[in-house]
């Protein structure tokens, strides 16, 4: 027997007899408590020894629960007492503190130097100019909408990424949208549809159409033109985004647990409350590259000419080139492409999908930008980067590698008060943000939190423009990938690289394509406008070896 099993039998016999005798001799509160304690210990221990399914309980009756209790608070104890300012994931304390400080308009400077190891592998940095400039006002907005769009939209460099009502509480959605209205940026609805809480405060919206077609589906789950038109033509809806995949779980549909599906959500999404809401892995209207672009054109016409694009996490590069071939074949161009990084976001996902699938945001944006350059379409399509963005440098890095504007989700939640407990999928969010519990949701004060969203947005952009100016530039559009320096394993700094060599304009369409790297050739020749899937047969070699 283990020591605790011996202790249990000792308490069961000698302990109960002793406390019973003591209570018999002195019938007071203290002796009564002792009787209750030994009796409760005996009952719980008996269940553990003979009925529990857990080995720990059988071997260590009663005291095993101490381990379970401590383990349940492991994340909080590590966050508060153990981890230093720069080691937590996905956002360390330094990053979270920066968001909180900027959201509250308090001091966001540090003293006594950096806590980062500037010589660690892959550390990113910038080389400043001795002639700092100033970003001109005209360069602080980006117009989204190509020649096939009749209602272009002027966007901020930083915007609120896709977060659905259902994943987030009604108060959180209201605070985000009111914050977007105050800050002058757009708010992506997420695939859950444009709820009344998205529409209440008049903030600019990007309506996301996911594979579940929520908000524009009929009773059978198919696309409904009339329901789409009713929402898409609202003045508040500025753009429409078709979701192909997301960084948190590429190749897997969105999941809203049954516990978070209220009657209101079921009505908005047109779904049942009897089971988890699991979206299809592939959008039923976009099963091939040509079908995707035809759907883009269809939505653009139904919306009255508003910008329409699609969102995806990049996997096999050849499959994105299939979409490029479809653009050339059909002449239909999306107004924007949103690139979601494999770093994930607010959505719950299987561990393997979050940890192992997809291309990171910087690599994916760099690849997509080069692919569009290679087919001569880069100047006609805007790129939106959606990835981990806590600081102005995070924003700058994404713009430098090819993004036109950037979306942020988790840091916008932190501006609302999120403390990164990672309970988003349990309906027990301690701050009332990622929950459908009405009691918890009331903790989010819409007026106060919307100001914090505005403050975080404005302060991050202000520092972004100062960073751009420190490089001697007066327009963020002048940023290039080579301006981002990466510490290599040999200790030297190099310009940031990617899995591909950069392309010249129309390089993939020229007759001398055989002069390009082997990967570009293989991806281009194996891609097809008629289907997405391309076998991944390339032996990938770093672009550094080609130069």
């Amino acid at each position: 027997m283990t020591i605790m099993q011996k202790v249990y039998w000792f308490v069961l016999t000698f302990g109960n007899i002793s406390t019973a005798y003591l209570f018999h001799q002195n019938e007071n509160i203290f002796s009564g408590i002792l009787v209750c304690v030994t009796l409760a210990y005996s009952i719980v221990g008996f269940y553990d020894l003979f009925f529990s399914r857990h080995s720990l309980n059988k071997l260590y009756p009663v005291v095993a629960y101490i381990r379970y209790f401590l383990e349940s608070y492991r994340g909080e104890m590590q966050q508060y007492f153990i981890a230093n300012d720069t080691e937590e994931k996905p956002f360390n304390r330094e990053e979270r503190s920066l968001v909180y400080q900027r959201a509250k308009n308090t001091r966001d400077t540090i003293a006594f130097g950096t806590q980062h190891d500037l010589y660690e592998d892959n550390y990113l940095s910038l080389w400043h100019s001795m002639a700092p400039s100033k970003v001109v006002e005209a360069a602080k907005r980006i117009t989204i909408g190509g020649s096939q769009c009749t209602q272009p939209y002027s966007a901020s460099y930083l915007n609120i990424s896709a977060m659905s009502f259902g994943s987030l509480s009604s108060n959180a959605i209201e605070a985000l949208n009111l914050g977007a209205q105050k800050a002058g940026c757009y708010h992506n609805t997420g695939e859950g549809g444009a709820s009344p809480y998205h529409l209440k405060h008049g903030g600019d919206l990007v309506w996301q159409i996911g594979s579940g077609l929520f908000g524009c589906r009929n009773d059978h789950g198919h696309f409904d033109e009339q329901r789409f038109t009713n929402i898409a033509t609202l003045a508040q809806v500025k753009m429409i985004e078709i979701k192909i995949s997301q960084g948190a779980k590429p190749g897997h549909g969105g999941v809203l647990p049954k516990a978070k599906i209220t009657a209101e959500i079921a009505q908005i999404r047109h779904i049942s409350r009897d089971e988890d809401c699991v979206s299809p892995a592939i959008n039923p209207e976009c099963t091939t590259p040509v079908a995707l672009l035809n759907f883009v054109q269809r939505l653009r016409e139904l919306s009255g000419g508003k910008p329409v694009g699609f969102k995806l996490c990049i996997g096999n590069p050849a499959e994105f080139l299939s979409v490029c071939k479809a653009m050339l074949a059909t002449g239909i161009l999306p107004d924007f492409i949103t690139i979601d990084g494999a770093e994930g976001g607010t959505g719950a996902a299987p561990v393997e999908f979050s940890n192992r699938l997809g291309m990171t945001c910087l690599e994916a944006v760099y690849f997509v930008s080069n692919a569009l350059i290679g087919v001569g379409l880069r100047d006609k399509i805007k790129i939106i980067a959606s990835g981990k963005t806590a600081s102005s440098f995070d924003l700058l890095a994404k713009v430098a590698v090819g993004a036109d504007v950037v979306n942020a989700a988790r840091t916008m939640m932190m501006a609302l008060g999120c403390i990164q407990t990672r309970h988003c999928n349990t309906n027990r969010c301690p701050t009332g943000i990622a929950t459908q519990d009405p009691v918890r949701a009331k903790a989010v004060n819409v007026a106060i939190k919307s100001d914090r969203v505005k403050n975080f947005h404005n302060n991050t952009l202000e520092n972004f423009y100062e960073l751009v100016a420190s490089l001697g530039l007066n327009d963020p559009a002048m940023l290039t990938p080579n301006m981002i320096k990466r510490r290599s394993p040999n200790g030297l700094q190099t310009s940031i690289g990617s899995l591909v060599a950069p392309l010249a304009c129309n390089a993939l369409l020229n007759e001398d394509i055989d002069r390009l790297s082997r990967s570009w050739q293989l991806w281009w020749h194996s891609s097809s406008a008629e289907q997405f899937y391309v076998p991944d047969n390339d032996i990938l070699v770093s672009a550094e070896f080609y130069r």
Side-chain angles (χ1 to χ4, degrees):
M1 288 193 293
T2 65
I3 293 177
M4 293 314 302
Q5 286 174 329
K6 293 177 180 178
V7 169
Y8 169 74
W9 289 113
F10 178 81
V11 172
L12 181 66
T13 54
F14 181 77
N16 281 302
I17 293 172
S18 300
T19 55
Y21 176 78
L22 181 63
F23 181 74
H24 179 72
Q25 295 296 318
N26 301 287
E27 293 186 6
N28 55 37
I29 295 177
F30 176 73
S31 59
I33 291 174
L34 285 179
V35 170
C36 292
V37 169
T38 55
L39 186 61
Y41 185 95
S42 301
I43 294 171
V44 174
F46 184 82
Y47 172 82
D48 287 346
L49 280 174
F50 296 102
F51 297 101
S52 178
R53 293 175 297 173
H54 303 292
S55 299
L56 276 178
N57 293 72
K58 289 180 179 294
L59 294 172
Y60 307 96
V62 184
V63 295
Y65 293 104
I66 298 175
R67 179 187 187 277
Y68 300 145
F69 174 78
L70 294 175
E71 188 178 42
S72 68
Y73 288 97
R74 177 180 177 274
E76 287 81 355
M77 288 189 291
Q78 182 173 352
Q79 183 182 95
Y80 297 142
F81 304 116
I82 299 172
N84 67 34
D85 286 350
T86 60
E87 68 181 8
E88 286 181 272
K89 302 293 182 183
F91 292 87
N92 60 45
R93 179 166 292 278
E94 182 183 78
E95 292 169 325
R96 298 199 308 274
S97 296
L98 179 64
V99 175
Y100 299 146
Q101 289 160 353
R102 288 182 173 168
K104 296 175 183 177
N105 257 342
T106 57
R107 176 169 47 84
D108 61 357
T109 56
I110 60 173
F112 221 65
T114 179
Q115 296 186 63
H116 291 267
D117 177 7
L118 304 187
Y119 292 94
E120 72 176 356
D121 290 355
N122 294 316
Y123 188 84
L124 301 182
S125 60
L126 301 167
W127 286 357
H128 65 280
S129 170
M130 293 178 66
S133 184
K134 184 177 181 179
V135 174
V136 296
E137 288 298 319
K140 294 183 178 180
R141 305 286 293 187
I142 296 294
T143 300
I144 302 176
S147 59
Q148 299 170 352
C149 165
T150 58
Q151 297 188 53
Y153 175 69
S154 176
S156 168
Y157 267 99
L158 179 62
N159 302 279
I160 302 173
S161 195
M163 291 177 281
S164 303
F165 171 56
S167 294
L168 269 57
S169 67
S170 57
N171 280 27
I173 293 294
E174 282 193 45
L176 287 172
N177 191 256
L178 183 56
Q181 190 270 333
K182 293 175 179 178
C185 65
Y186 66 70
H187 176 197
N188 192 303
T189 66
E191 68 171 299
S195 72
Y197 308 105
H198 287 98
L199 298 165
K200 184 175 180 178
H201 297 286
D204 291 348
L205 288 177
V206 174
W207 182 22
Q208 186 181 96
I209 310 296
S211 57
L213 303 174
F214 303 127
C216 57
R217 57 188 271 154
N218 59 25
D219 295 338
H220 304 290
H222 302 308
F223 180 69
D224 188 311
E225 285 193 357
Q226 188 57 54
R227 287 184 176 176
F228 172 81
T229 303
N230 290 342
I231 297 176
T233 53
L234 293 174
Q236 192 176 340
V237 176
K238 303 299 183 182
M239 302 195 294
I240 293 96
E241 178 181 84
I242 303 166
K243 176 184 165 186
I244 304 300
S245 61
Q246 67 182 94
K249 43 185 177 290
H252 192 289
V255 178
L256 182 65
K258 182 173 69 172
K260 297 179 74 172
I261 303 177
T262 64
E264 185 179 30
I265 291 170
Q267 181 181 14
I268 292 170
R269 295 194 178 201
H270 213 66
I271 58 173
S272 169
R273 296 186 64 189
D274 298 333
E275 57 187 3
D276 293 346
C277 176
V278 181
S279 303
I282 187 170
N283 193 307
E285 299 291 331
C286 310
T287 54
T288 67
V290 170
L292 166 62
L293 295 177
N294 286 333
F295 195 49
V296 167
Q297 181 63 18
R298 186 180 177 190
L299 298 190
R300 192 153 45 206
E301 292 172 357
L302 291 172
S303 67
K306 292 181 178 180
V308 179
F310 57 88
K311 168 185 174 179
L312 77 166
C313 178
I314 299 295
N316 186 342
E319 297 185 358
F320 181 78
L321 292 180
S322 295
V323 179
C324 293
K325 282 188 174 179
M327 294 179 198
L328 297 173
T330 62
I332 301 171
L333 304 180
D335 297 291
F336 63 91
I337 299 173
T338 302
I339 306 300
D340 211 10
E343 300 89 333
T346 58
V351 172
E352 297 85 355
F353 280 72
S354 275
N355 290 348
R356 304 296 177 182
L357 285 185
M359 205 181 287
T360 62
C361 189
L362 290 182
E363 288 181 324
V365 169
Y366 184 78
F367 163 75
V368 168
S369 180
N370 272 283
L372 294 177
I373 290 171
V375 295
L377 298 175
R378 180 63 185 91
D379 60 333
K380 299 176 176 64
I381 301 170
K382 293 295 188 288
I383 295 176
I384 302 173
S386 177
K388 179 182 174 183
T389 305
S391 69
S392 301
F393 176 79
D394 297 334
L395 172 57
L396 183 146
K398 292 176 179 63
V399 174
V401 298
D404 293 288
V405 300
V406 174
N407 290 349
R410 289 171 291 182
T411 46
M412 292 296 179
M413 288 174 63
M414 289 177 189
L416 293 180
C418 168
I419 57 174
Q420 193 175 277
T421 57
R422 295 178 293 171
H423 292 324
C424 307
N425 59 334
T426 66
N427 208 31
R428 298 193 302 272
C429 171
T431 57
I433 297 170
T435 181
Q436 293 307 308
D437 183 334
V439 176
R440 293 173 182 265
K442 285 181 181 178
V444 179
N445 184 301
V446 174
I448 293 174
K449 299 301 185 180
S450 65
D451 279 336
R452 293 188 178 181
V453 171
K454 177 200 69 175
N455 292 339
F456 171 67
H457 172 274
N458 292 350
N459 289 330
T460 302
L461 275 186
E462 182 181 345
N463 281 271
F464 165 68
Y465 296 136
E466 287 184 359
L467 267 182
V468 172
S470 73
L471 304 181
L473 309 178
N474 63 8
D475 186 343
M478 299 169 68
L479 291 165
T480 59
N482 60 284
M483 295 178 182
I484 308 294
K485 310 303 179 186
R486 182 187 66 181
R487 184 72 62 181
S488 64
N490 61 17
L492 301 177
Q493 284 188 321
T494 61
S495 294
I496 190 170
S498 182
L499 76 166
V500 293
L503 295 182
C505 187
N506 291 315
L508 293 172
L509 306 180
N510 293 337
E511 294 181 358
D512 58 350
I513 186 175
D514 292 339
R515 297 177 58 184
L516 300 180
S517 69
R518 179 180 177 278
S519 292
W520 277 118
Q521 293 179 50
L522 182 62
W523 293 335
W524 182 252
H525 290 311
S526 61
S527 61
S528 167
E530 303 304 320
Q531 66 177 32
F532 286 117
Y533 177 73
V534 177
D536 186 7
N537 296 324
D538 184 31
I539 300 176
L540 195 62
V541 179
S542 172
E544 298 167 4
F545 292 98
Y546 294 117
R547 296 198 281 271

